[in-house]
Structures are given as C-alpha cells and as structure tokens.
Amino acid sequence: RRDASGQLAVSPAAQIAKAPFTNRNPGSLGRSGPQTERAIELGLAFLIRNQQPDGHWSLLGFDDGHANKQFQLDSNTAATGLALLAFQGAGYTHLEFKYADRLKRSVAWLVSHQRSDGNLYVESDKESNKNCQLYSHAIAALALAEAYGMTQDAEVRAAAQKSIDFIVATQDPKLGGWRYLSTPGNRSTDTSVTGWMVMALHSGRLAGLDVDPKVWNGIERWLEIAQAPDSESQFVYSPEVQDDPSRRIVRGHLRRAANSTTAIGLLMRMYTGWDRDDPRLLDGANILLKQLPSEFNLEVRDTYYWYYATQVLRHVDGPVWQSWNSVLHPLILSSQVPDGEYAGSWSPFEPVEDKWGRFGGRLYVTTLNLLSLEVDYRLLPLYDKTVAPRDKSE
C-alpha cells in the first residue's frame, strides 16, 4: 500500500458509520489478496491525478486521437459520482483517511450543483442531456447516499435526502421505473436506468434516509413487465421500445433478454425480496455463467455487464461466484495499464473495444472495474451478504 499511494491518515473528525457501512476500512485485505489491493490503489491514484481542482471529475479528456474514439457522452455529474463510488468502495470517505480533503471537494461540488428539486445533473451538450440526465442523477445520488451512510455527516444528509426524493418524484407512474428524462410528459422506463435508481434507493434506505415505501410497488411492476416471456430469471431492456422506420432503426434486440439486463433485473429482484437461495435467482445466475468475462471482441468485453453480474453472483456466492471470479479477477488485473500517463486505469479500446467504452470512455471503464475488484472483500452495503428487502407489510 505504501508503494502504491502512501500512508493512511486518519481524521479525528470522522463520524460513526451506519451499521451496514461499518465493514469498509482501507487496508483490510480480503480473499483476493495484496495484488488486488495494489491494483485498486493504483486505480485510485489515477483518479486523483485526473480530478479537477474544484473536486469534480470529467468523462472527457482521455484517448484523444485514438482511431476508435468518436462521439462520447459527457456528464461531470456521472463522472464525479462514479469516482466517488470507487473511493467509497475502498473504504475512503470525505471525512477520514488520506483522500478526505479531495473527496470533501467532490461531495461539495455535487451538493453545490444540486437544483432546488433535488436533481444533481449538470447540463452539457444536447445529446448528453438527452441521454444522461437520469443515469447521472442516479449515480450521483448513490454516491451521496454512500457518503452519508459511511459517515452520518449531517452536512450531507439534506442533499442526499433531496436526491432520493427526486428519484421518487420522477418515477414513471405507468410503467414503474425510470428512463432518460424526468419531465412529466417524457417519462418512460427501461431496465438499465431503473437499475441505477434502485441501487440509490436501496443505499439510501440502508443509510437511514427516508424512502417512500410506495416506490417499490412501481419497481416490482416494472420487473413483471420486463421479465422475459419464457423465463422468470431473465429480463429485457424494455418490451415497450419501438422501431423507427423513418430512420431505419430496428430495436428488436432491446425487446429480447440480454445478459446485462438480466443481471440488472436479478439484482433488483434481490432488493425487492428474492432470497439468495430462490430457484429463480439460481437459474438466472447459471444463465449469466454462460457468458463469462472475456476480451475476445466488443460483444463480450462488456464492463457494464461485468459490474452488475459481479454483484449478483457475489450475493449468490459459493461455486457460482468462484466460477465467475476465477475468470473476471485475473482478466481485470492483467489488463490494467501498468505505467505511463494512464497508469492505474483501463483502456476503453484495448486490447479490443469495450461494448460501451466509446460512449463512457476511460474513466467509466476504470471506475466500473475498480468497483468489480472491490466487491469481493470490501462489501458495499449494496453487496452485503444479507440483502435487506423492504418490509412486506409496507
């Protein structure tokens, strides 16, 4: 750890964490061992080098000139939320340990840009605004909930609560989830955005924030809608999405079960009550194992899928988790950039292009890989062995 990024520093101002967050402590080696510890510290050092002076991070500014780099989405909100989550997953907070001052700036940046209705999204270009608003809010809301849960910092609670309230207020009243936009006339639902929202709600609940129990009824409604017609263990992006003949766009694949949306759906099912021994969950876990992590081509090099499947399979644990992690873990470690300008990061294009890498970029791929490495031994409350489903009497 000293070789990677220096000594720890503990702040006497640190707060007491909420119970589900107490197991995260920097330096507490788990089953993955010191090689993983070093990889995480190198990844966090990359993030620190690329943090802006006011505390935020950007998705942009990497790999300029690469042949595969074309249009990339831009969201400082999402970038800052993802980076914060990577530090929090390693046990660092904005009040304690060596990165406290840096993370305090990041939390303050999110809070200072929060709108009066609780929305955390900072607008960018037109295309990013159209696609990133609710993705970004959910990621940042999750980071604020983690910040509050890990510290019980009263100065964070109000902003974290407002961000949760915004999620509840923008739920699609018809389908029960969330998609890209929050304005009443433009609300819809897909499994991907809804997955991030559910993680934020679940983390907020564990942190001690107020989450309207009625929100879970809509989430369960969407899971019924998005369930594959022939399998309770698989999920689609959205059965509601339509083709666009005028632009020759066919979206049939979004109406069929996919590995990434199945992993997201299974995680949400766990948060809404499926036990880790539920046969439907176990069937879904075995379906995920049919596509193990690989860098063979851009269809299977899918960091987003790996991130969600890692959470699901770590919950299931046992041989299922061992089968997955024995492939994913060495793959992630071996593909981390060892030196140079991007030391500690992961490329969105090498050795082959990541499925969503051109849209999210290097910081996106790096933070998701860090979170996947952290899941095995620094369990976020979202990854705790005992998932805390809502009270069925609610």
Side-chain angles (χ1 to χ4, degrees):
R1 174 178 284 273
R2 285 194 298 270
D3 291 341
S5 54
Q7 292 280 9
L8 296 177
V10 181
S11 167
Q15 304 293 308
I16 298 174
K18 193 74 172 176
F21 297 80
T22 54
N23 291 330
R24 273 188 276 176
N25 295 293
S28 57
L29 288 173
R31 291 183 290 180
S32 296
Q35 187 179 7
T36 302
E37 181 78 8
R38 178 173 173 79
I40 291 170
E41 290 297 329
L42 287 173
L44 297 180
F46 164 80
L47 294 177
I48 285 294
R49 292 198 305 274
N50 288 282
Q51 186 185 27
Q52 300 302 307
D54 65 358
H56 84 274
W57 278 270
S58 173
L59 295 176
L60 306 182
F62 306 104
D63 302 296
D64 293 335
H66 194 285
N68 288 17
K69 185 170 183 178
Q70 299 176 23
F71 172 75
Q72 184 180 324
L73 294 169
D74 179 21
S75 172
N76 290 345
T77 303
T80 303
L82 287 168
L84 270 171
L85 288 169
F87 283 96
Q88 291 163 343
Y92 297 104
T93 79
H94 65 285
L95 294 182
E96 195 172 17
F97 306 115
K98 61 185 177 183
Y99 295 124
D101 288 342
R102 294 294 198 100
L103 302 185
K104 187 177 296 184
R105 290 184 223 166
S106 305
V107 171
W109 186 88
L110 287 176
V111 173
S112 69
H113 286 83
Q114 187 175 41
R115 302 180 205 175
S116 59
D117 63 358
N119 190 354
L120 291 162
Y121 180 61
V122 176
E123 292 194 352
S124 180
D125 61 89
K126 183 177 179 180
E127 194 67 21
S128 297
N129 292 343
K130 185 172 68 176
N131 291 281
C132 296
Q133 181 192 144
L134 290 190
Y135 268 123
S136 301
H137 174 82
I139 292 167
L142 173 58
L144 286 183
E146 298 286 314
Y148 179 63
M150 291 178 72
T151 64
Q152 295 294 285
D153 182 359
E155 294 184 9
V156 175
R157 181 183 173 96
Q161 183 63 62
K162 284 173 63 177
S163 72
I164 294 297
D165 294 342
F166 179 78
I167 293 175
V168 174
T170 56
Q171 186 175 30
D172 180 359
K174 177 184 176 184
L175 299 174
W178 297 262
R179 200 175 183 201
Y180 295 154
L181 301 172
S182 62
T183 50
N186 294 313
R187 291 177 191 169
S188 186
T189 304
D190 69 53
T191 298
S192 183
V193 177
T194 301
W196 284 105
M197 293 295 195
V198 170
M199 285 194 291
L201 291 169
H202 180 68
S203 184
R205 180 172 56 184
L206 292 176
L209 300 173
D210 297 324
V211 179
D212 187 343
K214 295 179 181 177
V215 74
W216 300 100
N217 297 328
I219 293 164
E220 290 182 337
R221 182 164 68 252
W222 174 250
L223 289 170
E224 293 294 327
I225 295 170
Q227 183 177 289
D230 57 350
S231 172
E232 293 181 90
S233 303
Q234 294 178 275
F235 299 86
V236 307
Y237 175 83
S238 174
E240 304 285 323
V241 71
Q242 299 297 314
D243 299 335
D244 188 347
S246 66
R247 299 167 60 194
R248 298 182 179 179
I249 297 176
V250 178
R251 300 189 175 99
H253 64 290
L254 299 178
R255 299 189 291 270
R256 296 189 294 269
N259 289 307
S260 57
T261 50
T262 290
I264 298 168
L266 290 172
L267 188 65
M268 288 193 284
R269 282 294 194 193
M270 296 183 75
Y271 293 160
T272 56
W274 280 13
D275 185 84
R276 62 190 300 166
D277 298 319
D278 191 302
R280 297 166 295 183
L281 177 62
L282 298 177
D283 286 346
N286 285 314
I287 289 169
L288 298 180
L289 288 182
K290 292 179 181 179
Q291 183 174 308
L292 290 169
S294 171
E295 292 192 318
F296 180 72
N297 59 45
L298 66 82
E299 287 303 313
V300 295
R301 189 194 170 190
D302 188 348
T303 306
Y304 192 62
Y305 163 58
W306 300 349
Y307 167 69
Y308 271 103
T310 294
Q311 297 179 64
V312 172
L313 299 175
R314 182 62 180 86
H315 276 310
V316 175
D317 211 359
V320 168
W321 168 244
Q322 293 168 17
S323 297
W324 176 267
N325 197 45
S326 66
V327 176
L328 176 69
H329 192 261
L331 187 156
I332 291 180
L333 291 181
S334 65
S335 57
Q336 187 178 34
V337 179
D339 49 37
E341 177 186 6
Y342 293 144
S345 70
W346 284 264
S347 170
F349 306 120
E350 310 295 342
V352 298
E353 186 175 344
D354 183 89
K355 189 170 185 178
W356 305 106
R358 69 172 57 190
F359 301 106
R362 185 174 290 267
L363 185 138
Y364 153 82
V365 171
T366 295
T367 52
L368 290 190
N369 277 336
L370 286 172
L371 288 166
S372 290
L373 287 179
E374 290 164 356
V375 70
D376 184 43
Y377 63 103
R378 291 193 187 100
L379 301 183
L380 291 162
L382 295 173
Y383 308 155
D384 198 357
K385 290 183 179 180
T386 305
V387 180
R390 68 188 178 99
D391 186 341
K392 291 301 183 181
S393 64
E394 292 175 344

